[in-house]
């Protein structure tokens, strides 16, 4: 894409501001549109945005720096990002990445001299059931094979616009293999909303209370209580936010729910609005799912036409509510609810100090409910069919069912819905993953299970989960997984607090030291200590869970690290003095054996 003149960029940004709005909250959305148009955010765009939105240039630049999908310098005409989750790697993504960079004559992270292409890695893109996957100019390309990579190389060299690439490259499958109560019943468009109007807000909240629905994003907070606190918090304006950031490695069920059941999710948000008294809602959709935006916008406008959104919903005077979609731009921490709200307000996604919690002071300082996609979907079913129906399955503390994203070494990766209380072994049988060496439940932040634990159950009592279920077969080296997770967390830490910012970097370095065969038993103990400190002292869930995988490998799969330790050494320095001096010694010819640490 040629560098554009100042005047062209100015015109484009001015048009954008006129079309979408001048509120500072829209800053991130404007930056995403500018990035898409020019492959970076030119300085002149920063100037125009700053003067029109009244936001300082340094804040805008900080935003560009923070989000992985925004750039201050041009990327190639084709901006290729290989999904770098462990499941992509297990499916051969690294070899495909090398094939493409070789074919195009470009180095990783460097834009080719003619500006045609840049190839980089990105965190999990949520296509684990159909990987290896990549994003090209923000659009998902799935099911990569050497043949497909070769064709992509040809298309890039020939400068073929993405709209003329084979449509099958961009197909994203739903892969629903097991539908339970939530997913198997057809939806009647206005039924839930009509029942809500018949019951009234108080009784509808009562149904939710009777259901004992707990949030499906991972933490499991009681949904009815969250809605009640928000409704009762002082303020004349309230907001509903649907968290579709879905950045946890191995999770993709929210993508499928939004693709297959968008009406149920929007209905759940509308019911929430009716109960808490909100008139505005946001769907925060992760940037990796930009391919879904046109259809979701279409569903919203259809719902407006049907009287299911907008003014006087279902003909009820005063029941007004509408939903806007905001895109994310590649930051895992933006799934954390307070960072998500910062991002919705157009800022860097840095975690807020709490209290106050979002239910009291959230978006624009107003009471705000933030719930996961699956939570809103379940709430819609509950208001329609009743809280007792929902309690009909599950366990004492975990009512209903859980939707899982199953990937890795299994015959049938995809979406599976199970009643809470289902053992891990049952899921493995159904998806064709028996004989697994390990299962990673609830993503990189979750828990690594050994075969002796496969009788444990998916439930808040035993194994709480955001839905990610990654299976590692008997031939996998768990070192690859732990290296991948350590890199991921070091990259994704928002930097707000020291235990997480520094701890994740230290853990990453130590894991790499073990992988390189340079570590001693001392380093393993160091990893454990750092992990404990991060767990106790980090400010949010990212830091408190980031060392889980290291702890689990140390405790349950000790051989993964032990067999790589440098034999016979109690301590090995992280800094390799001999390696650093090698070139100087060669040049000067002063290389006596006694000066080497190894021999000393
Ligand atoms: C680092 C981090 C990432 C998170 N990512 C998500 C996410 O992608 N989706 C989500 O629903 N919740 C995520 N959460 C949890 C949210 O903070 C919040 O608890 C959730 O959206 C509340 O919805 P629920 O009650 O319906 O689960 C994340 C939390 C942390 C600490
Ligand atoms: S724990 Fe990590 S992600 Fe969370 S606030 Fe601290 S630095 Fe940010």
């Amino acid at each position: 894409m040629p560098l554009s003149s100042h005047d062209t960029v100015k015109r484009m940004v001015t048009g954008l501001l006129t079309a979408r709005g001048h509120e500072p909250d829209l800053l991130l959305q404007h930056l995403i549109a500018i990035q898409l148009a020019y492959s970076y955010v030119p300085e002149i765009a920063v100037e125009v945005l700053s003067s029109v939105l009244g936001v300082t240039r340094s804040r805008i630049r900080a935003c560009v720096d923070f989000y992985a999908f925004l750039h201050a310098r041009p990327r190639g005409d084709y901006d290729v990002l290989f999904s770098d989750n462990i499941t992509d790697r297990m499916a051969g993504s690294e070899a495909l990445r090398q094939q493409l960079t070789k074919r195009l004559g470009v180095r990783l992270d460097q834009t080719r001299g003619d500006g045609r292409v840049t190839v980089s890695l990105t965190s999990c893109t949520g296509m684990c059931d159909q990987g290896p996957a990549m994003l090209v100019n923000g659009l998902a390309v799935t099911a990569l094979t050497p043949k497909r990579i070769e064709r992509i190389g040809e298309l890039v060299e020939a400068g073929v616009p993405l709209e003329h690439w084979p449509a099958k490259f961009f197909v994203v499958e739903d892969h629903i293999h097991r539908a339970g109560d939530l997913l198997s019943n057809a939806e009647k468009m206005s039924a839930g909303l009509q029942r809500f109007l018949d019951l009234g807000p108080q009784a509808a909240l009562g149904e939710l209370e009777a259901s004992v629905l707990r949030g499906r994003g991972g933490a499991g907070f009681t949904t009815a209580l969250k809605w009640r606190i928000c409704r009762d918090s002082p303020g004349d304006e309230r907001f509903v936010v649907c968290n579709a950031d879905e950045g946890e490695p191995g999770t993709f069920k929210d993508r499928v729910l939004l693709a297959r059941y968008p009406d149920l999710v929007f209905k759940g948000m509308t019911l929430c609005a009716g109960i808490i008294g909100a008139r505005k809602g946001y769907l925060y959709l992760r940037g990796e799912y930009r391919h879904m935006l046109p259809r979701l916008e279409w569903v919203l406008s259809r719902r407006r036409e049907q009287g299911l959104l907008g003014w006087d919903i279902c003909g009820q005077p005063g029941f007004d509510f509408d939903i806007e979609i905001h895109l994310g731009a590649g930051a895992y921490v933006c799934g954390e609810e307070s960072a998500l709200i910062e991002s919705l307000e157009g800022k860097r996604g840095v975690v807020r100090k709490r209290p106050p919690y979002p239910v009291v002071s959230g978006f624009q300082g107003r009471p705000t409910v933030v719930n996961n996609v699956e939570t809103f979907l379940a709430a819609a079913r509950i208001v329609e069919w009743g809280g007792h129906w929902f309690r009909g399955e599950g366990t004492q503390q975990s009512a209903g069912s859980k939707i899982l994203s199953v990937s890795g070494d299994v015959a049938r990766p995809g979406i599976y819905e199970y009643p809470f209380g289902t053992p891990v072994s049952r899921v493995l049988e159904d998806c064709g993953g028996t004989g697994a060496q390990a299962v990673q439940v609830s993503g990189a932040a979750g828990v690594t299970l050994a075969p002796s634990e496969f009788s444990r159950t998916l439930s808040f009592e035993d194994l709480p989960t955001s839905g990610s279920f990654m299976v590692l077969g008997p031939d996998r080296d768990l070192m690859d997984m732990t290296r991948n997770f350590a890199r991921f967390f070091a990259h994704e830490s928002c930097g707000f607090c020291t235990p997480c910012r520094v701890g994740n970097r230290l853990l990453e370095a130590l894991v790499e030291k073990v992988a390189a065969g340079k570590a001693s038993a001392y380093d393993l103990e160091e990893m454990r200590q750092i992990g404990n400190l991060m767990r106790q002292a980090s400010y949010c869930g990212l830091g408190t869970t980031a060392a889980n995988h290291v702890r689990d490998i140390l405790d349950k799969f000790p051989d993964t690290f032990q067999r790589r330790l440098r034999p016979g050494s109690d301590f090995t320095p992280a800094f390799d003095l001999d390696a650093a001096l090698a070139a100087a010694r060669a040049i000067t010819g002063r290389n006596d054996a006694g000066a080497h640490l190894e021999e000393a």
Side-chain angles (χ1 to χ4, degrees), residues 333 351 492-497 500-501 538-544:
V333 72
V351 171
E492 299 292 347
S493 164
C494 84
F496 173 82
C497 67
C500 169
R501 185 183 62 247
S538 294
Y539 193 73
C540 84
L542 190 151
T544 56

Side-chain angles (χ1 to χ4, degrees), residues 177-496:
H177 294 304
R178 190 177 198 276
D181 274 358
L182 286 181
L183 300 186
S184 58
N185 292 291
E187 196 219 346
K188 294 188 210 94
M189 270 303 165
S190 61
L193 287 172
Q194 200 49 59
R195 179 129 201 281
F196 165 75
L197 292 176
D198 296 343
L199 288 170
Q202 187 57 37
L205 186 59
E207 290 293 354
L208 215 62
E209 266 158 0
S211 75
V212 206
L213 171 67
R214 296 175 66 172
R216 298 323 200 210
F221 194 83
T222 310
T223 305
L225 183 58
K226 185 182 276 191
W227 294 14
R228 183 181 285 283
I229 298 172
C230 187
R231 185 197 66 180
D232 295 345
S233 291
D236 51 4
E237 207 177 355
R238 292 179 173 68
F239 293 100
V240 178
V241 175
C242 179
N243 187 344
D245 195 49
E246 192 157 66
E248 189 60 56
T251 316
F252 48 88
K253 48 115 187 149
D254 292 343
R255 159 174 65 76
V256 177
L257 297 184
L258 285 168
R260 277 290 188 97
Y261 306 88
D263 280 291
L264 266 181
V265 178
F266 294 141
K267 188 194 288 184
M269 292 176 71
T270 310
L271 293 168
C272 176
I275 288 173
I276 68 169
R279 294 157 68 94
K280 183 83 195 267
Y282 292 92
L283 173 73
Y284 186 91
L285 184 69
R286 72 183 307 218
E288 289 82 345
Y289 294 168
R290 191 165 62 80
H291 67 278
M292 303 176 75
L293 191 59
R295 175 159 151 78
L296 289 170
E297 293 282 16
W298 176 81
V299 173
L300 287 178
S301 59
R302 185 204 359 92
R303 288 184 73 81
R304 284 180 202 113
E305 279 162 24
Q306 291 171 317
L308 304 172
L309 267 184
W311 306 104
D312 300 337
I313 293 172
C314 289
Q316 176 77 13
F319 185 10
D320 307 332
F321 178 66
D322 213 333
I323 297 172
E324 205 176 296
I325 304 178
H326 273 213
L327 282 172
Y332 165 65
V333 72
C334 285
E336 194 282 337
E337 58 187 4
S338 68
L340 183 151
I341 290 169
E342 287 284 296
S343 183
L344 262 188
E345 292 181 357
K347 304 176 201 152
R348 293 180 306 142
V350 176
V351 171
R352 285 183 180 174
K353 283 198 211 135
R354 284 153 298 161
Y357 290 92
V359 275
V360 175
S361 175
F363 183 63
Q364 295 175 347
R366 310 295 208 297
T368 304
V369 160
V370 181
N371 274 128
N372 178 252
V373 173
E374 185 183 343
T375 312
F376 281 119
L377 181 142
R381 293 287 201 210
I382 289 164
V383 172
E384 189 174 344
W385 292 335
H388 290 289
W389 158 79
F390 190 73
R391 295 234 61 187
E393 61 180 10
T395 65
Q396 183 69 24
Q397 291 171 41
S398 319
S401 61
K402 183 75 195 93
I403 299 168
L404 302 179
S405 317
V406 177
S407 65
D409 292 319
V410 301
R412 290 170 295 283
I415 299 296
Y416 292 74
E417 181 186 353
Y418 287 98
F420 270 120
T422 299
V424 168
S425 54
R426 169 70 202 273
V427 182
L428 286 171
E429 275 162 31
D430 290 353
C431 68
T434 44
Q437 169 188 195
V439 178
Q440 185 69 22
V441 173
S442 206
V447 44
T448 316
L449 297 180
S452 59
E453 299 174 283
F454 290 171
S455 57
R456 291 180 63 182
T457 59
L458 301 163
S459 60
F460 290 105
E461 296 94 319
D462 187 3
L463 286 172
T465 174
S466 58
S468 170
F469 191 99
M470 293 186 278
V471 179
L472 291 106
D475 301 328
R476 297 290 174 191
D477 184 348
L478 295 184
M479 194 70 213
D480 295 335
M481 183 189 80
T482 210
R483 287 177 78 187
N484 183 271
F485 290 174
R487 259 200 312 272
F488 169 76
F489 285 117
H491 180 253
E492 299 292 347
S493 164
C494 84
F496 173 82

Side-chain angles (χ1 to χ4, degrees), residues 28 68 85 115 162-163 284 323 422 483 596:
L28 177 58
N85 187 27
L162 282 194
E163 50 273 27
Y284 186 91
I323 297 172
T422 299
R483 287 177 78 187
H596 281 242

